[in-house]
Amino acid sequence: MYKMPGSRRKFIKNISLTAVALSQSGLVHSQFKNKKNDDKKRIGIIGLDTSHSIEFTKLINGNEGNFQNKGYRVTAAYPRGSADIESAVSRIPEYTETIKKMGVEIMDSIDELLKKTDFILLETNDGRIHLQQALKVIAAGKPLFIDKPIATSLKDAKAIFDAAER
């Protein structure tokens, strides 16, 4: 099996830096300047069924990256993701405990998460539910990063982008 060069940690670091850079750039950030979100930097995570949630939190809240200097912090998470992928479901209790030890508050719903955060990382492992989760975030007007996969169908991916554009 071909293995791409570099490490998983390096990939996560690079994708995190890209997400923050985009949120600070004129491409994405200009849409939110009028909403006076410039001073708000609380990041919420949807989905604690993937190690990416833990790694992003370590990177953003830890001393390795440049995020603390800019005031960004993962402050809340909604743990639920897929209900029928056993490997994902079984990770949630352990990852929830791990992220709580990093000072992240656990929310009971996406709606509750949206009230307490300014930016969202959609990390749910199951792309089948990304559309439903993303639509809530988009409707709330929050900047959104969707980890792979964006969706599991072209139709859902287009729906996400169409909603974001509107």
Side-chain angles (χ1 to χ4, degrees), residues 35 111 114 132-142 144 163-164:
K35 295 182 182 181
D111 292 332
L114 292 170
Q132 139 193 8
Q133 293 172 323
L135 289 178
K136 288 183 177 192
V137 178
I138 293 166
K142 308 275 181 169
L144 171 65

Side-chain angles (χ1 to χ4, degrees), residues 87-103:
S87 62
V89 173
S90 66
R91 294 182 198 132
I92 293 172
E94 177 188 346
Y95 289 174
T96 299
E97 287 308 309
T98 300
I99 209 162
K100 281 167 60 175
K101 289 177 184 170
M102 291 188 256

Side-chain angles (χ1 to χ4, degrees), residues 18-33 72:
T18 301
V20 171
L22 282 173
S23 74
Q24 291 298 299
S25 74
L27 295 173
V28 174
H29 197 255
S30 65
Q31 297 175 35
F32 300 98
K33 282 187 177 182
Y72 289 92

